[in-house]
Amino acid sequence: MRELKITPIKNGTVIDHIGNGLALEVLRIIGVRELDRDSTVSVALHVRSQKIGWKDIVKVENMELSPRNVNAIALIAPTATIAIIRDFKVQEKRAVDLPDRIGGVLKCPNPSCITNQHEPVESEFEVARRRPVVLRCTYCERLVDEFLPNLA
Ligand SMILES: Nc1ncnc2c1ncn2[C@@H]1O[C@H](COP(=O)(O)OP(=O)(O)OP(=O)(O)O)[C@@H](O)[C@H]1O
Ligand SMILES: [Mg+2]
Ligand SMILES: [Zn+2]
């Protein structure tokens, strides 16, 4: 079967190879509501992929991802690739990757953690395990392996 193509974008970002069903979470992370009114956002759900079976794709015009958003995407969609499009061409493409420390992306699920005490302390986690990802809060050492409910 021939793949149905989405209209090409001139400038923007393509987030490809998103695990099946996770595109809506990716949209939540990048906050598409705040996008400029002239930007088209295309979402393809359940697309056949050679690499990962089924995948989702998100294409956003006129937007580049902040490092914080890349980290959040790496947590919930670790197979994703990010391509920067300039003048209709792929300028740069890379897999998302998780740094050893992740600040400000997730809330610590421990209610007694200092990062939840109205102190001006930003949350920070270190990677305790990579496959599958487990994070450890730098402050209270709580282990976190579920990210969607804890996105800040
Ligand atoms: N102008 C464009 N507008 C919208 N999407 C684009 C544009 N150019 C490339 N893409 C998309 O960006 C992604 C990366 O492009 P590339 O040409 O590297 O894809 P590819 O050859 O399928 O590589 P791979 O799937 O291995 O990452 C693909 O999802 C492609 O469909
Ligand atoms: Mg491809
Ligand atoms: Zn904590």
Side-chain angles (χ1 to χ4, degrees):
M1 195 178 82
R2 219 149 55 84
E3 198 183 321
L4 197 71
K5 295 287 189 246
I6 299 176
T7 314
I9 57 180
K10 181 162 192 235
N11 294 297
T13 301
V14 174
I15 309 162
D16 196 354
H17 310 108
I18 301 167
N20 186 26
L22 294 171
L24 299 180
E25 305 306 336
V26 170
L27 289 173
R28 208 178 83 179
I29 290 167
I30 63 186
V32 283
R33 275 164 215 228
E34 287 140 49
L35 282 175
D36 121 34
R37 285 171 166 273
D38 298 322
S39 297
T40 296
V41 179
S42 311
V43 180
L45 302 174
H46 212 244
V47 176
R48 200 89 182 89
S49 159
Q50 304 279 359
K51 289 180 195 164
I52 58 172
W54 299 98
K55 67 174 180 181
D56 291 351
I57 309 171
V58 172
K59 301 191 178 192
V60 191
E61 263 188 324
N62 305 323
M63 185 210 66
E64 295 200 8
L65 293 167
S66 66
R68 177 198 169 110
N69 284 348
V70 174
N71 290 343
I73 292 168
L75 280 174
I76 64 128
T79 57
T81 55
I82 294 173
I84 310 293
I85 309 297
R86 296 222 173 92
D87 208 14
F88 294 106
K89 292 191 196 73
V90 178
Q91 172 98 17
E92 186 189 320
K93 184 171 67 174
R94 60 194 173 82
V96 296
D97 82 323
L98 211 54
D100 294 333
R101 282 173 187 277
I102 298 136
V105 169
L106 286 180
K107 291 195 297 269
C108 181
N110 172 7
S112 321
C113 180
I114 185 160
T115 60
N116 290 321
Q117 301 305 311
H118 306 286
E119 301 287 338
V121 182
E122 193 183 60
S123 74
E124 188 187 275
F125 294 84
E126 47 208 86
V127 176
R129 256 193 79 161
R130 282 197 175 256
R131 264 167 240 244
V133 175
V134 180
L135 301 181
R136 182 191 300 108
C137 176
T138 305
Y139 297 96
C140 72
E141 303 197 338
R142 173 71 63 97
L143 294 174
V144 184
D145 64 2
E146 239 199 320
F147 310 114
L148 271 180
N150 298 316
L151 283 177

